Amino acid sequence: MRRAALLVALLLVLRWPAPAAAQIYRWVDESGVPHFADGIDSVPDRYRAKAVPLGMKNAPAAPGAAPGAAKASGETSIRFIPGQRIMVDARINGSAEARLMLDTGADRTLISPRALQAAGVRLTGPSTTAEVTGAMGSGQMQFIVIESLEVGEARVGRMPVGSGVLPPDVGDGLLGRDFLDQFNLNIDSGKGVVTLTPK
């Protein structure tokens, strides 16, 4: 379970076009779980001293790639069972529901083709395809722009998301830092509550 989520996070961070070339860093949290991030500024403060540069950089943005996500709005609280993965109910384009695993180690949001199609997203429309490579192999992943993504009252407008085959234990996908970094994120593990407040 943890290995599958880590693989997806690693695949997304290695090859997704970033706005500018950024050094990839690896850091390990207090539970021993490794994470990967674009640039030292993306590593949480308490882990920066031990973050290790991997000698890899994300490529510059591809021609025609969507601009940065629209401004975030809305505040929300999400309840979860302490000690278990944090699963959130999301709405794609204001309508279709998707169950996503909140992953602060994933740079990009990944949503299953089935959930995107349910939201009316055309998977054959304009998109960026990137080769992704990780510990368990490599393959192509499609990146498609959606009009909005909402978790409770927290909303981010137009943003690119990855679409590809997912491990079965992540629901309909991963809610990554491209969404989460638009908010002040507070995870209260004792009470089992995540709070998102727009920055």
Side-chain angles (χ1 to χ4, degrees):
M1 169 178 62
R2 186 178 282 177
R3 182 176 178 182
L6 173 62
L7 170 65
V8 173
L10 177 59
L11 293 181
L12 292 175
V13 77
L14 287 179
R15 296 295 182 120
W16 171 257
Q23 174 70 46
I24 304 299
Y25 281 81
R26 179 181 186 274
W27 54 276
V28 180
D29 66 22
E30 61 273 359
S31 299
V33 177
H35 300 266
F36 300 86
D38 286 325
I40 193 68
D41 291 341
S42 297
V43 177
D45 291 340
R46 65 181 184 264
Y47 301 114
R48 286 184 187 170
K50 294 186 178 181
V52 178
L54 298 180
M56 297 182 285
K57 292 186 177 183
N58 276 333
K71 187 175 178 181
S73 61
E75 180 176 334
T76 199
S77 293
I78 304 155
R79 296 213 167 270
F80 67 96
I81 299 171
Q84 295 188 12
R85 291 169 295 162
I86 302 173
M87 302 299 292
V88 301
D89 292 317
R91 284 184 306 281
I92 305 164
N93 292 347
S95 59
E97 298 285 330
R99 187 95 167 134
L100 306 178
M101 184 176 80
L102 188 149
D103 188 348
T104 59
D107 277 4
R108 306 293 170 200
T109 295
L110 174 63
I111 302 175
S112 73
R114 182 199 58 74
L116 290 171
Q117 287 175 328
V121 177
R122 290 181 52 224
L123 301 181
T124 57
S127 65
T128 298
T129 301
E131 178 78 16
V132 292
T133 304
M136 299 177 75
S138 64
Q140 294 287 318
M141 182 168 287
Q142 186 177 18
F143 292 90
I144 298 164
V145 176
I146 61 173
E147 294 304 314
S148 66
L149 186 62
E150 300 169 56
V151 175
E153 297 301 314
R155 181 184 187 278
V156 172
R158 194 169 169 81
M159 63 180 284
V161 297
S163 174
V165 178
L166 298 167
D169 60 347
V170 299
D172 294 314
L174 296 175
L175 184 66
R177 285 192 7 255
D178 51 352
F179 181 93
L180 298 172
D181 282 355
Q182 306 278 337
F183 299 88
N184 292 310
L185 170 67
N186 181 47
I187 301 176
D188 187 328
S189 298
K191 294 181 179 177
V193 177
V194 175
T195 304
L196 295 172
T197 308
K199 288 184 176 177

